[in-house]
Amino acid sequence: DGGITQSPKYLFRKEGQNVTLSCEQNLNHDAMYWYRQDPGQGLRLIYYSQIVNDFQKGDIAEGYSVSREKKESFPLTVTSAQKNPTAFYLCASSIQPPETAEQFFGPGTRLTVL
Amino acid sequence: KQEVTQIPAALSVPEGENLVLNCSFTDSAIYNLQWFRQDPGKGLTSLLLIQSSQREQTSGRLNASLDKSSGRSTLYIAASQPGDSATYLCAVPGQAGTALIFGKGTTLSVSS
């Protein structure tokens, strides 16, 4: 089955801890994205990548980091610098050119700070 | 800066009713508009993608229209069912033409 997988489904972070959220796709898409969803605020872009070894900051990149070493993988690290990380995190992907392409989403990871 | 608004924020209807969800955007220079469905605690499921050159798209009981000049899109759901209960989101590509700008969604509840 083609699609996007995210793991884990639930993640708990202690103060001062870095955690990494996994996103893998087997759709052969070049572009991948990370969004954060908070109640009442909608989805906001954290980072995106249009090609391997290249990525760009989104609207709320502070306290987050990413890597794109493989086409199918785009992990997101939530660092201790992110003061309010409790949220639902969604990964997405699309073909090129992304501005005309349909975006597909994974099932999400819910991160909670203890 | 592109802004996307969805009205109403919540909607409750009895089963069988036809309904319309609204989406408006401030910058009409869009490449496309996408409608999504989100069930509680789940990811987004793409329902329909309308390219800027199209006026509407249909999938089963769903019909989405796009009027770029007025900055509006509607999602029409025919003969609603309890299984249609979910949050519906619309989104358009942002300034860089890549990542999406989302509305806050309309939460639909269909009662049997």
Side-chain angles (χ1 to χ4, degrees):
Chain A
D1 279 341
I4 302 173
T5 58
Q6 291 186 243
S7 61
K9 186 174 181 178
Y10 300 98
L11 186 57
F12 299 91
R13 193 192 92 164
K14 296 180 181 179
E15 292 285 342
Q17 191 179 40
N18 292 353
V19 292
T20 297
L21 285 60
S22 170
C23 177
E24 304 275 333
Q25 54 96 2
N26 61 5
L27 301 168
N28 200 32
H29 287 173
D30 284 303
M32 296 187 74
Y33 315 83
W34 275 105
Y35 295 89
R36 169 178 170 147
Q37 187 176 34
D38 295 278
Q41 291 211 44
L43 278 80
R44 293 178 289 168
L45 180 68
I46 305 173
Y47 269 97
Y48 68 95
S49 168
Q50 294 196 50
I51 197 167
V52 173
N53 293 322
D54 184 59
F55 47 83
Q56 306 295 328
K57 293 182 179 180
D59 299 323
I60 55 168
E62 185 175 351
Y64 299 97
S65 66
V66 293
S67 63
R68 186 84 188 277
E69 297 177 359
K70 298 186 295 183
K71 184 176 184 178
E72 59 270 23
S73 178
F74 191 39
L76 174 73
T77 296
V78 184
T79 74
S80 56
Q82 171 49 241
K83 298 306 178 187
N84 185 22
T86 295
F88 191 49
Y89 291 85
L90 289 158
C91 177
S93 71
S94 67
I95 61 172
Q96 296 282 14
E99 56 266 26
T100 59
E102 189 173 9
Q103 280 196 21
F104 296 90
F105 281 75
T109 292
R110 185 164 299 280
L111 173 61
T112 303
V113 174
L114 299 176
Chain B
K1 182 181 176 184
Q2 178 74 270
E3 293 182 4
V4 179
T5 303
Q6 292 187 249
I7 294 174
L11 183 62
S12 293
V13 300
E15 183 177 7
E17 194 161 298
N18 301 326
L19 58 101
V20 174
L21 306 181
N22 297 295
C23 172
S24 62
F25 44 94
T26 54
D27 184 348
S28 62
I30 60 171
Y31 289 101
N32 58 47
L33 184 143
Q34 198 166 351
W35 281 95
F36 295 91
R37 168 185 173 138
Q38 186 176 31
D39 293 294
K42 305 293 186 183
L44 275 62
T45 299
S46 179
L47 297 173
L48 290 162
L49 173 74
I50 311 177
Q51 298 292 353
S52 60
S53 58
Q54 299 174 314
R55 291 197 62 86
E56 63 178 54
Q57 278 278 18
T58 298
S59 175
R61 294 182 294 108
L62 305 179
N63 177 275
S65 66
L66 175 63
D67 185 343
K68 275 186 59 178
S69 61
S70 67
R72 294 183 178 184
S73 176
T74 60
L75 180 66
Y76 175 83
I77 302 177
S80 58
Q81 303 171 357
D84 294 331
S85 299
T87 296
Y88 291 82
L89 299 156
C90 69
V92 296
Q95 270 188 337
T98 54
L100 296 175
I101 306 295
F102 282 85
K104 293 183 179 180
T106 294
T107 299
L108 173 65
S109 176
V110 181
S111 56
S112 57

